Every structure is written in structure tokens, then in C-alpha cells.
Amino acid sequence: MAKAGPLRMVSIFHSSYCEAARWALELARVPFVSEEHYFLGPTWRTPATDMRAEGAATRTIIEPDSIPVGQFEGADASAIAQRRGTTMVPVARRPDGVILGDSFAIIDHAVAQACGNGAALAPLTPSKRRRWDEFGAACRHVCYASMTPARCPDATREQLLRLYSKFYFAGVPTEAEYQAIHKSLDRVFEKWTERFTALWSQPETLMPTVRQTWADVNAELATGKPFLGGAHPSADDIVFAAHASWLVFPAEFGGCAAVRWPVVAELPRAQRELAEALRREPAGQLVLRLYADHRVAPEHQRTTVHQLAKL
């Protein structure tokens, strides 16, 4: 007999990989507890590592070729392997104790549960899985690079501070908590931007991946189907839109749990121009339509636990 109870997921709120996993679970009507961490301290590392360690006693399901964060930022192979086996998020535990070790495994679980829950969610296309992972890494790199001070000569320190705060802490539930963590970021702003610049100064290195994926999606939509999955949103649509959210900034990011998220008009000029250009293409229109029409889920389906770090 299957064990009852909600799935538990360790997540970083602004991560596009975590966003894709949350979205798939919501569309499939899978009850879950989402433990959301915020990016001023490594609060997710202990629960993520502990959950992955549980897989040794049960089992862990993970995409064999999934790309851990860091693979395109110059991290060495040993560091990448360690992150993949310990701190990479999202990670989730099913009610039966099996560990879902990456966003693909969580999305596959959502697809498998959808029919029994009275929902419809077509699975990921096997030949596209690697492409979506590379696209997600590219979107992440381009987004972060576009926020570095060197790429934002028109932005003041206060504008960048506000952008970083909204981006990283979009789900912080109360204004008092948000203002407190905003002040914490203000104190380390120079150290933060120095690290940003060192890691993310060259968006052109992965921009071709973004352009090619955008063109491929444009071509698929040109056949007349409304979604990549055909008549209804599929897991391919969800993964593409979640990663693309870091480039076009749909207002509905995070669904019912998002309190604040950067709007395009607030972005630095180069980043704003890129977002506006991508939004005008069919692929960008698909992202905006998916978020507007299919992102909001019933509040009771997801229990959100917020973990705020202190500097």
C-alpha cells in the first residue's frame, strides 16, 4: 500500500529549475510542502544534503546527464560531482521515502501522478531533455551577467540593490522581513557585486544557446499548435517557460507564492531591451501566455515554508 502524505521539496525560490518543479506538481495536482530558501546564506545545503543522504537507505532517482549549477561557470569536475550528490536543488522526498534528485525526476513524478489526480500533463520529450537543461543553464548565465554593474552603466547602486532584492527575495512573505533582508544585502552590496562580476561577466558565451532554443520554439509554434505539447501545456512547455522566465520576467513567476518579482520596466537598459525583444517573438508570447493562463494554482495544494538566512 502506498504511503500517504505530501511530497516534501527543498527549493531556492527564485531558481528556474525549482520553479519548473513546483509548476509541474501544481498542474498535476500533487500536494506538496515546498521548503523555500533565500539566497543570502547557504540555508538549503543542510536539508538538501540530508535528504540526498536518505536516498542511500531507500533510492534516488536522478537524470543521468542533468547539469549541476556550476558546470558552465568553470567549476572543476570534482566540485560538480560533489554538488550533484549533496547540495543541488530542487530535491524532493516522495511519501514512500524515494528521493527525487533533480527537477527532471520531480517533473516525471508529477506527470505520473497527473492522470490519477484528474489532471493532464504530457511528459517531457526524451530528445529534448538535454536541450532544456542546457537552455536553463544558459538563461541563468545570461540573466546574472546582465545584472553585473559592468553591464548596467545606466543603473545606480540603489537601482541595482532594488533589482537584486526583488529577484532573490520575491517570495519573502512579509514586508518587514523583506525590508530587513534588503538592508542585509545593502551592507554586503560591494562584495556581492564583486562576486557577480567575477562569475558572470561574459553573457555572450551562452547567448547562442538561448537564441537557438528560441528559434527552435518559434519554428515549432509556426506549425499552428498553441503549445509545444499540442492542444494543452506539457512538461516541455513548463520547463521552457520556467527557464525563460529569467529572460522575459513574467509577472506571475512563482504563482500564488510570489510577493514581488522584477518587472521589465525596472530592468537595466540592456537587460530590458533583451526582454522586450524576446517577448515580441512567438516563443516569448508562449511564455507570457503560459504564465498568465496556467501558472496560478490553488493555495491549499502547496504548503510553503520560508527559510530566511541571516548574514
Side-chain angles (χ1 to χ4, degrees):
M1 180 179 296
K3 294 185 180 179
L7 177 144
R8 176 179 167 242
M9 182 168 72
V10 177
S11 170
I12 296 175
F13 188 83
H14 72 285
S15 162
S16 64
Y17 297 86
C18 297
E19 168 77 345
R22 287 190 298 260
W23 194 349
L25 291 169
E26 289 168 359
L27 278 184
R29 303 177 188 171
V30 176
F32 67 105
V33 176
S34 186
E35 185 179 300
E36 301 292 350
H37 296 260
Y38 296 90
F39 204 67
L40 268 185
T43 59
W44 78 93
R45 289 182 179 168
T46 297
T49 300
D50 289 349
M51 185 176 284
R52 290 183 182 282
E54 294 174 18
T58 55
R59 70 185 179 102
T60 298
I61 302 172
I62 191 168
E63 177 76 11
D65 297 322
S66 63
I67 301 173
V69 168
Q71 186 159 322
F72 290 141
E73 283 94 62
D76 62 41
S78 61
I80 291 168
Q82 181 181 27
R83 183 175 294 177
R84 179 182 169 85
T86 54
T87 61
M88 189 173 73
V89 291
V91 59
R93 183 179 61 236
R94 294 188 333 202
D96 63 0
V98 170
I99 304 303
L100 305 175
D102 62 6
S103 59
F104 284 131
I106 296 169
I107 292 166
D108 289 344
H109 174 74
V111 169
Q113 297 296 309
C115 184
N117 293 339
L121 184 63
L124 289 160
T125 302
S127 62
K128 292 180 179 178
R129 294 169 80 102
R130 176 73 182 185
R131 184 177 75 171
W132 293 143
D133 228 9
E134 292 173 348
F135 176 65
C139 291
R140 177 177 183 272
H141 193 107
V142 170
C143 177
Y144 279 148
S146 299
M147 292 181 180
T148 58
R151 294 277 170 180
C152 308
D154 58 315
T156 65
R157 181 185 187 278
E158 182 56 36
Q159 287 172 326
L160 286 177
L161 177 61
R162 187 165 57 248
L163 173 62
Y164 296 165
S165 294
K166 284 190 173 185
F167 182 72
Y168 284 111
F169 312 123
V172 174
T174 71
E175 185 63 20
E177 289 170 316
Y178 173 73
Q179 290 300 331
I181 210 163
H182 177 83
K183 290 178 181 178
S184 296
L185 180 57
D186 189 13
R187 290 196 298 270
V188 298
F189 180 81
E190 279 66 34
K191 183 185 296 185
W192 185 278
T193 53
E194 181 180 344
R195 180 177 180 274
F196 247 50
T197 300
L199 283 174
W200 312 107
S201 59
Q202 299 296 327
E204 292 85 355
T205 58
L206 290 176
M207 195 63 199
T209 300
V210 171
R211 295 291 188 192
Q212 185 59 58
T213 304
W214 223 257
D216 291 344
V217 172
N218 286 342
E220 283 200 54
L221 296 175
T223 64
K225 59 184 181 181
F227 302 103
L228 298 177
H232 304 284
S234 66
D236 286 321
D237 290 280
I238 299 315
V239 173
F240 170 68
H243 290 320
S245 69
W246 277 38
L247 301 178
V248 301
F249 292 92
E252 300 83 3
F253 180 91
C256 58
V259 179
R260 60 194 65 79
W261 183 246
V263 299
V264 171
E266 298 174 332
L267 300 175
R269 181 177 58 81
Q271 192 175 27
R272 182 178 68 249
E273 290 175 353
L274 175 62
E276 290 171 344
L278 293 175
R279 279 171 165 238
R280 288 192 290 267
E281 297 185 35
Q285 289 294 303
L286 172 65
V287 174
L288 298 178
R289 183 159 44 88
L290 283 164
Y291 266 95
D293 297 341
H294 300 280
R295 183 64 190 93
V296 178
E299 182 71 53
H300 67 269
Q301 182 188 329
R302 176 174 76 194
T303 301
T304 303
V305 179
H306 299 276
Q307 300 288 344
L308 303 180
K310 294 183 178 180
L311 291 177

